[in-house]
Amino acid sequence: MTSQEQEKEQQRVDSVIHQITARIAAVTDDYDKARAEMKLVQENYSANTSVNYIELDDRIETSADLQQQRALASRLIENEQIISGQLNTFKELEQSPYFGRIDIQDAGDPDTERLYIGTASFTDDEQNFLVYDWRAPISAIYYNGTLGNVTYETPGGRQLTNLKKKRQFLIQNGQIESMFDTNETVGDEMLQHVLGQQNDETMQNIVATIQREQNDIIRDTRSDLLVVQGVAGSGKTSAILQRIAFLLYHSRQELQADQIVLFSPNKLFSHYISDVLPSLGERNMRQVTLAEFLSQRLLGLDVETLFDRYETESTLPDAQVNVRQFKESANYMHQVADYCQHLDPEHFKFNHIYFDGQVFFDKAEIEAIYHALPALQPAERFLKTKNELIKRLKRRINEEAKSKWVAEEIDQLSDEQYHDLLGNKQRHQFQELDAEVNYIARKIVTKRLRVVYDALYNNYFLDTYSQYLDFMAQAELPDDCDAAQFEASRARFAQAIEYHRCPLVDAAPLLYLRDILTGGGQNHAMQHLFVDEMQDYSIAQLQYLHHAFPKAHMTFLGDSEQALFKAVQAPEALLNQLRDAFNVHRPRLLKLNRSYRSTYPITTFAKALLPDGAQIEAFNRPGDLPKVIIRYDFDSGIDALDREITTLSATNGTIAILTQDLTQAHEVYQKLNHQHKNVTLMTDADLSLPKGILVLPIYLAKGLEFDAVIGWNVSATNFPDEQFTGTLYTIATRAMHQLTLISLGPVSPLIASDKMPTTVLQIEHELTN
Ligand SMILES: Nc1ncnc2c1ncn2[C@@H]1O[C@H](COP(=O)(O)OP(=O)(O)OP(=O)(O)O)[C@@H](O)[C@H]1O
């Protein structure tokens, strides 16, 4: 491209930036005004909150006044937040106003229109678009179209136009660093540039270089179940985040960020992705890990986590694997639903409700209420039982209010306590004093018996655990599931509950059973459910999530090859399973086969680890061959590690040493900690990733990436067979620029196999004599 052309483009960049800068000045003015107003209200508010509360009437007046001020303050805060959001967006645009240009010509129109595309829209004072938001309907052409006739969706239907030119820019600090014309979706030059950079502490948005197949995921608004099978580093996580930004833009009126929930693999990951949406001017969605979600719903129980399970998984006897598979299946969940629907009232398990160590409602009484009700759906019948219990509680409160201890307590009340109990009621609202005293007495007893009310409200009178044990006792086992083994697993559940623990495999069916019987546990407000790393979820768990968020559109992303300790499952089979289990109308499967994260040599090696790796397309970014270092004892392994760290540190910001489990991570960390200053051992509790040298077990590195990776001890002992392919593949694919694998003793047969081409690795043996 001529430098004259670039000069012309630079002039336009300058002119747009000039207008953005002027807008920033104007908006800053608005912002200062909003802040000043806010401060005034705050001062006024704090002056008012220190009024004297003794006189009741004063207090009521003050509180009405305060409420008004509080409403005003929250309106002002909202206003201030909007202006501050705009300001941030403009400041980003000021550095880099856009990254793309398309020239289009509609049929019959003599003129070509030139549109520039950036992370947000910007219009001049006459409302002409100087920059189009990347999510605007017309911007789809930039991502989807090759030159020639193209179509794009608009709210008014599909439009046809002719794409005459597509240009990409890299603009930094207001200067065009490079620009390319391309016929491709988004050309490789730009990608080369972006991917060659060092890893940042947090993930970056990819709007400038979204690829066509990623764009399909991002802009899909039709599917109610979107399953994405994407190879490691293919941009699944990036696509989720851009998709959320797109959906928020697309349904601005109906969709809020907190109606979107993302299940992420670990807390480090949650932090890692936390900057992407704000960088696009959007608020973050809700994020939760499966462990957090389950423990929140099973309060009081220590729910086994996926990490606990990884640590013990390899020791699980074969016979129990089938039992676990059954419990993780859709069949098991269907049986739970079926059991609940047809549950004979005689089999309903109730608990006593206690107060102060005494039985308050006997379970026989609860049973009698339940039995006396007409045959209804279990949840309805349960709700009626609950209402009856609450009615009886109120009756008992009324009786108790007449007792002596209450009268004594009333006598002891200070004026202020008395007014507190009166709450919104005013004295003159009572016909006579007796009514007022009785009102106060009931308030006192209600407060005292609050725990009973809470127990009823939280459905504690259903004995969920016994009910689940009862379910298991009658479950119909598939042929490959041994009855004695299943019974043993039932006994293990019972024992775990004694110790307030819950095995992971039982958490979803247990919650499902509780929800169906009590009619609770569903969140109808959530509109989108995203699950990243879905290969680590069982069908039963996914089914429970679908039940818990019944109105949510689902987007599940994962890579079956990265399943740790689990057989690889074909994505089509998975989609069919999910479709049947969820009863959805518009399921869609999309595949991402191109891997962007790692250099060409690293991806080529990682492909060779997999039996069906040929489908993976490596992005053509040059780099060193991965290295395998073989040593024969722990200490020389550590020496080799030490030397590698020193070499890699020269060119890499973050080096991750990935181990198979936590014990090995500890062993390595103990040694390294003496030799290097900036070594960090990462644990499940860590929330952010420091720079430097990190030591962590592979399951904590899921979804993350590092400049350089050293896989610790890839020996035949640690990775003996295909069961470990997923783990090894996940380790290798965390590396962006450099990969080293160290083996203590003979290297894993997964690497030293005939299928592994000798050209994809450098091997360094210890010289032994
Ligand atoms: N279109 C793109 N443009 C620029 N960078 C991209 C693009 N797609 C992916 N990347 C980069 O590739 C890397 C991998 O992306 P991401 O983490 O989203 O992949 P993933 O499929 O979720 O990976 P994994 O399953 O291995 O965790 C990231 O650094 C991301 O920024």
Side-chain angles (χ1 to χ4, degrees):
M1 197 166 318
T2 64
S3 60
Q4 213 183 2
E5 189 70 17
Q6 180 153 342
E7 222 167 90
K8 256 178 38 201
E9 290 286 11
Q10 183 64 51
Q11 278 166 12
R12 184 180 192 274
V13 170
D14 295 343
S15 146
V16 172
I17 288 182
H18 183 72
Q19 298 181 61
I20 296 173
T21 310
R23 186 73 51 83
I24 289 176
V27 176
T28 307
D29 240 26
D30 293 347
Y31 183 70
D32 291 345
K33 275 190 207 132
R35 275 202 74 86
E37 202 175 342
M38 182 66 218
K39 215 167 142 218
L40 211 69
V41 172
Q42 263 167 350
E43 275 166 14
N44 208 353
Y45 182 74
S46 52
N48 272 343
T49 44
S50 56
V51 291
N52 185 340
Y53 277 132
I54 300 299
E55 281 306 313
L56 182 71
D57 290 345
D58 250 14
R59 180 178 159 173
I60 287 164
E61 223 169 70
T62 316
S63 108
D65 210 33
L66 281 181
Q67 268 172 20
Q68 236 176 28
Q69 287 190 32
R70 210 175 291 149
L72 179 65
S74 74
R75 251 200 330 275
L76 288 175
I77 290 176
E78 203 182 315
N79 187 28
E80 188 189 317
Q81 279 169 350
I82 293 173
I83 302 179
S84 133
Q86 279 176 350
L87 211 52
N88 286 341
T89 306
F90 292 145
K91 282 183 179 160
E92 298 257 347
L93 288 183
E94 197 183 26
Q95 300 300 312
S96 179
Y98 41 81
F99 50 77
R101 165 183 150 186
I102 47 176
D103 294 1
I104 53 171
Q105 187 175 25
D106 292 345
D109 191 341
D111 296 327
T112 301
E113 215 182 334
R114 188 180 292 179
L115 312 176
Y116 287 84
I117 295 160
T119 49
S121 297
F122 185 75
T123 52
D124 65 13
D125 295 339
E126 275 85 50
Q127 300 304 312
N128 298 311
F129 275 89
L130 299 184
V131 185
Y132 279 85
D133 191 300
W134 63 282
R135 297 164 290 186
I138 191 113
S139 306
I141 297 175
Y142 176 73
Y143 298 112
N144 270 345
T146 44
L147 301 190
N149 283 338
V150 289
T151 54
Y152 61 100
E153 302 288 341
T154 70
R158 187 167 281 192
Q159 296 284 330
L160 176 75
T161 191
N162 192 312
L163 177 60
K164 313 209 68 139
K165 186 192 281 295
K166 177 146 59 177
R167 181 167 284 178
Q168 293 175 254
F169 302 91
L170 182 70
I171 304 175
Q172 283 174 338
N173 301 322
Q175 291 303 312
I176 299 179
E177 298 292 327
S178 48
M179 56 183 240
F180 314 96
D181 280 353
T182 169
N183 184 24
E184 290 170 57
T185 319
V186 173
D188 278 359
E189 291 95 336
M190 194 65 95
L191 261 180
Q192 285 281 4
H193 179 89
V194 180
L195 297 173
Q197 289 174 344
Q198 291 271 307
N199 175 31
D200 286 292
E201 252 164 71
T202 53
M203 194 173 209
Q204 305 298 300
N205 77 59
I206 58 161
V207 280
T209 48
I210 291 169
Q211 302 295 292
R212 180 199 282 258
E213 62 282 9
Q214 295 173 332
N215 198 37
D216 283 347
I217 300 168
I218 295 166
R219 288 181 188 249
D220 182 310
T221 49
R222 286 204 66 244
S223 314
D224 47 7
L225 170 64
L226 187 61
V227 172
V228 181
Q229 153 62 37
V231 303
S234 56
K236 295 180 292 296
T237 306
S238 307
I240 295 186
L241 297 167
Q242 316 299 307
R243 173 165 165 74
I244 291 174
F246 177 81
L247 292 170
L248 287 170
Y249 176 90
H250 188 263
S251 315
R252 190 63 83 204
Q253 301 304 324
E254 307 94 59
L255 182 65
Q256 309 293 325
D258 50 16
Q259 291 173 315
I260 302 175
V261 59
L262 165 64
F263 278 76
S264 40
N266 54 56
K267 293 188 196 129
L268 283 175
F269 178 90
S270 303
H271 171 77
Y272 175 61
I273 63 171
S274 60
D275 281 348
V276 176
L277 282 159
S279 79
L280 297 170
E282 300 293 353
R283 276 197 303 129
N284 265 317
M285 66 281 139
R286 294 200 192 175
Q287 270 196 79
V288 66
T289 64
L290 183 67
E292 287 167 341
F293 175 80
L294 294 176
S295 343
Q296 242 169 37
R297 293 201 163 205
L298 289 170
L299 281 182
L301 284 190
D302 192 359
V303 185
E304 182 192 23
T305 67
L306 210 52
F307 306 143
D308 299 335
R309 207 165 92 180
Y310 286 141
E311 293 291 333
T312 54
E313 184 78 15
S314 45
T315 58
L316 193 71
D318 278 353
Q320 279 167 33
V321 172
N322 290 351
V323 171
R324 203 189 70 199
Q325 277 171 358
F326 171 47
K327 284 185 161 186
E328 289 182 336
S329 68
N331 172 14
Y332 193 66
M333 292 296 263
H334 280 143
Q335 289 200 33
V336 169
D338 214 42
Y339 165 84
C340 295
Q341 295 309 337
H342 300 106
L343 187 59
D344 182 344
E346 312 300 316
H347 279 93
F348 221 100
K349 309 277 180 205
F350 290 109
N351 268 328
H352 294 314
I353 292 282
Y354 291 95
F355 175 69
D356 241 1
Q358 308 280 329
V359 173
F360 190 89
F361 282 123
D362 195 291
K363 65 178 170 185
E365 181 184 350
I366 307 176
E367 258 164 29
I369 300 173
Y370 191 85
H371 287 178
L373 288 166
L376 297 159
Q377 284 291 309
E380 269 181 81
R381 203 160 167 175
F382 186 85
L383 185 65
K384 284 197 184 305
T385 307
K386 180 169 170 169
N387 288 341
E388 175 59 28
L389 285 168
I390 291 176
K391 224 191 280 167
R392 290 187 187 190
L393 171 64
K394 282 192 179 147
R395 236 179 280 147
R396 285 177 68 171
I397 289 174
N398 289 343
E399 281 158 27
E400 191 71 17
K402 294 175 199 140
S403 46
K404 208 163 140 224
W405 71 266
V406 185
E408 282 166 10
E409 195 155 304
I410 295 177
D411 285 345
Q412 306 289 325
L413 291 175
S414 69
D415 270 4
E416 204 169 348
Q417 285 168 328
Y418 195 93
H419 285 143
D420 267 344
L421 285 172
L422 264 182
N424 288 335
K425 287 241 183 232
Q426 294 184 27
R427 283 190 147 159
H428 55 76
Q429 282 179 290
F430 296 101
Q431 302 279 328
E432 27 192 289
L433 184 66
D434 268 5
E436 184 179 315
V437 172
N438 183 259
Y439 176 80
I440 295 284
R442 274 183 289 130
K443 278 270 185 167
I444 290 175
V445 181
T446 306
K447 216 165 150 188
R448 176 105 189 266
L449 290 178
R450 176 91 211 174
V451 278
V452 175
Y453 178 80
D454 286 349
L456 295 179
Y457 179 82
N458 290 315
N459 307 323
Y460 290 163
F461 56 102
L462 170 67
D463 183 351
T464 319
Y465 312 131
S466 302
Q467 198 74 64
Y468 182 60
L469 284 166
D470 186 59
F471 157 74
M472 280 200 267
Q474 56 78 66
E476 260 179 56
L477 308 186
D479 292 345
D480 64 358
C481 186
D482 180 67
Q485 288 295 338
F486 188 76
E487 186 47 38
S489 123
R490 182 170 173 267
R492 261 198 314 281
F493 173 80
Q495 198 190 18
I497 290 296
E498 290 283 306
Y499 292 97
H500 303 285
R501 289 201 299 260
C502 177
L504 181 60
V505 73
D506 293 304
L510 179 69
L511 283 169
Y512 194 42
L513 173 136
R514 186 178 81 183
D515 288 359
I516 299 176
L517 290 182
T518 62
Q522 291 191 303
N523 177 336
H524 292 268
M526 212 48 90
Q527 293 197 31
H528 282 275
L529 164 67
F530 286 81
V531 176
D532 201 356
E533 306 282 344
M534 70 168 171
Q535 72 280 358
D536 291 339
Y537 290 70
S538 64
I539 294 283
Q541 286 163 349
L542 292 176
Q543 200 166 342
Y544 182 68
L545 297 188
H546 175 49
H547 157 86
F549 304 107
K551 298 269 162 61
H553 290 251
M554 291 164 281
T555 310
F556 296 167
L557 302 94
D559 178 7
S560 50
E561 309 284 7
Q562 289 182 60
L564 306 185
F565 305 109
K566 198 165 145 188
V568 170
Q569 188 180 28
E572 287 79 5
L574 177 69
L575 183 79
N576 287 339
Q577 267 187 352
L578 292 174
R579 191 186 49 207
D580 295 347
F582 294 179
N583 198 14
V584 285
H585 302 297
R586 294 183 303 276
R588 186 177 181 199
L589 173 68
L590 287 168
K591 291 188 190 174
L592 299 176
N593 285 335
R594 201 169 187 214
S595 178
Y596 299 100
R597 174 180 298 128
S598 316
T599 59
Y600 185 84
I602 294 175
T603 306
T604 309
F605 164 70
K607 275 171 70 161
L609 289 171
L610 301 176
D612 54 354
Q615 36 134 2
I616 300 173
E617 195 191 325
F619 183 74
N620 195 2
R621 184 161 66 85
D624 295 338
L625 282 185
K627 195 196 275 184
V628 177
I629 300 177
I630 302 164
R631 292 292 183 269
Y632 289 92
D633 61 72
F634 184 77
D635 284 341
S636 35
I638 290 288
D639 286 346
L641 176 62
D642 187 32
R643 238 174 305 125
E644 266 315 281
I645 291 173
T646 311
T647 321
L648 292 172
S649 295
T651 47
N652 296 282
T654 314
I655 302 171
I657 299 155
L658 302 179
T659 63
Q660 199 184 42
D661 57 30
L662 196 60
T663 316
Q664 298 185 27
H666 271 288
E667 284 167 6
V668 171
Y669 174 75
Q670 292 303 340
K671 286 279 178 185
L672 286 186
N673 194 25
H674 296 301
Q675 288 147 2
H676 296 268
K677 274 205 300 295
N678 54 345
V679 186
T680 314
L681 176 70
M682 307 300 299
T683 69
D684 183 15
D686 282 309
L687 296 180
S688 62
L689 277 170
K691 284 255 169 217
I693 304 155
L694 311 176
V695 186
L696 63 166
I698 179 59
Y699 54 76
L700 280 187
K702 298 215 87 178
L704 306 180
E705 62 190 19
F706 310 93
D707 291 324
V709 164
I710 305 180
W712 174 253
N713 202 4
V714 295
S715 66
T717 323
N718 258 351
F719 296 87
D721 53 40
E722 301 80 47
Q723 208 200 337
F724 294 88
T725 304
T727 315
L728 198 54
Y729 174 71
T730 310
I731 291 179
T733 53
R734 297 308 93 199
M736 294 166 70
H737 311 302
Q738 278 178 297
L739 172 68
T740 301
L741 302 167
I742 296 179
S743 176
L744 303 183
V747 78
S748 161
L750 301 171
I751 300 172
S753 94
D754 299 342
K755 283 186 283 154
M756 177 71 63
T758 49
T759 50
V760 302
L761 278 172
Q762 322 167 41
I763 299 178
E764 184 195 310
H765 281 280
E766 182 173 43
L767 290 178
T768 45
N769 44 20

